[in-house]
Amino acid sequence: MGGPRTWLRGEGERSPRLGERGRAFVVLVVLVLVAVGPLVAFPAVRCEVFGAGCRETPAVKAPAAEPTRSAARRLTPLEAATWGQYVALGDSYSSGEGAYGTAADLDPTNRCHRTSHAYYHDVARQFRFAGGTAFWACAGATTASVLKGKSGEPPQTGRVGPGTSLVTISVGGNDVGFSRVLAGCVVRLPWSRACREQGPEIAERMAALRYSLTTVLDAVTERAPRARVIVLGYPRIFAERSGAYADNISVGDQQWLNARARELNEVIRQVAADRDRQIAATEGQGSVEFIDAYHAFSGHEIGSPDPYVNGLKVNLSALSAEPASFHPTKAGYQALARLFVQQIRTGPGRPLHQFR
């Protein structure tokens, strides 16, 4: 009897040990299932752990970065002038006074005396302006009337805007009073010094012009910040060494008048250059450029065989000078147009901050 009980005890004693191993085995199985289960159930986990079973995901394109200035192409001077609208502003040297080709040029309702031979027409025909062209120059305009309006028309500065790519303008001669100066040289007694005695008054007006012209250019460039603004100087209208004694103007007075024209041009040039430097310093997109027209009529002055400018024309019935007096002829405006065409193609002589 002792033998069987011993066997039974031995079996009973081994059973608890096997139970502990069984429990350990169960726990191990559970742990394996916990670890392996997600790998089987979730491919993304299996892909992350073993690099297997990964599904190819569609590539997502990153948004294209905007081109930087260093990568973009800089506009050429011609492109910068023609991407938008061309607007012609200014005084009689821009309106075409003195050169009449049609009945409409002399129509009394044409209060600004805009004519068919103004340089504007040649410039507009020479290039294709994406925004079209507009002609708003007005004879007799001063810097004040460019800002405030004249002859029943609104301010010329209001004619330009963000879509303007080119502005041409001549202004300043009426501020200085050149028509009155010429009248003072013509309507006087022979050998009197009434012509040159106007010097101090002219100097005062030129000093004032520095400020008023700056205001005009500021107004234009603020309204049309991407525009190339080309400012025209004035040509001398008398010969330098010898000239006609007609119109009661001596050679000496002609030379004196030419010198005043040069001074006026220098004031305009300096104001334009100062405004352009400000634009360039801030990397503005537009420009202010000056055209030196002083020698534009060389060899074709008043009294020459082929003048580009009208001499004194008198309305005998009214005993007054006609508006055409001392203004360009058709050939004169064509000469000015050639200067503009050349400047438009050449540019301001510095990089333009316009990019495509």
Side-chain angles (χ1 to χ4, degrees), residues 15-29:
S15 292
R17 288 196 296 270
L18 289 173
E20 292 174 358
R21 291 177 180 176
R23 284 193 296 273
F25 177 76
V26 170
V27 171
L28 178 61
V29 170

Side-chain angles (χ1 to χ4, degrees), residues 257-335:
L257 287 166
N258 285 342
R260 304 292 77 75
R262 186 186 292 276
E263 290 175 0
L264 173 60
N265 283 338
E266 182 60 18
V267 169
I268 297 172
R269 185 197 66 78
Q270 290 176 3
V271 172
D274 288 344
R275 187 68 189 93
D276 190 63
R277 276 193 290 269
Q278 295 174 15
I279 295 173
T282 58
E283 294 192 353
Q285 294 178 295
S287 64
V288 177
E289 307 164 33
F290 172 72
I291 289 181
D292 185 358
Y294 184 77
H295 296 288
F297 296 172
S298 292
H300 299 277
E301 303 89 351
I302 293 174
S304 67
D306 181 24
Y308 283 3
V309 59
N310 295 296
L312 176 64
K313 294 182 178 294
V314 179
N315 183 334
L316 295 177
S317 62
L319 294 178
S320 62
E322 294 183 354
S325 300
F326 307 117
H327 283 86
T329 62
K330 176 183 178 181
Y333 284 115
Q334 290 174 338

Side-chain angles (χ1 to χ4, degrees), residues 6-88:
T6 301
W7 178 84
L8 290 173
R9 185 172 58 250
E11 287 292 320
E13 289 174 354
R14 284 196 297 270
S15 292
R17 288 196 296 270
L18 289 173
E20 292 174 358
R21 291 177 180 176
R23 284 193 296 273
F25 177 76
V26 170
V27 171
L28 178 61
V29 170
V30 170
L31 291 176
V32 170
L33 291 175
V34 170
V36 175
L39 299 179
V40 176
F42 303 103
V45 176
R46 185 169 68 253
C47 171
E48 180 70 21
V49 175
F50 298 107
C54 301
R55 295 179 180 177
E56 184 177 352
T57 56
V60 178
K61 294 183 179 180
E66 294 185 1
T68 62
R69 281 193 171 186
S70 58
R73 181 177 68 81
R74 193 184 297 270
L75 294 187
T76 67
L78 181 57
E79 290 172 332
T82 58
W83 62 260
Q85 185 185 39
Y86 164 39
V87 182

Side-chain angles (χ1 to χ4, degrees), residues 200-254:
E201 184 180 0
I202 293 174
E204 291 179 4
R205 292 172 182 166
M206 285 192 185
L209 178 63
R210 292 182 182 273
Y211 297 98
S212 60
L213 181 56
T214 297
T215 302
V216 167
L217 295 182
D218 285 348
V220 172
T221 55
E222 286 172 8
R223 291 185 61 87
R226 294 185 63 192
R228 289 180 59 192
V229 181
I230 304 181
V231 186
L232 177 70
Y234 293 89
R236 60 176 177 83
I237 61 176
F238 300 107
E240 289 286 349
R241 297 180 181 176
S242 63
Y245 287 87
D247 302 337
N248 203 31
I249 302 178
S250 68
V251 173
D253 285 346
Q254 292 179 57

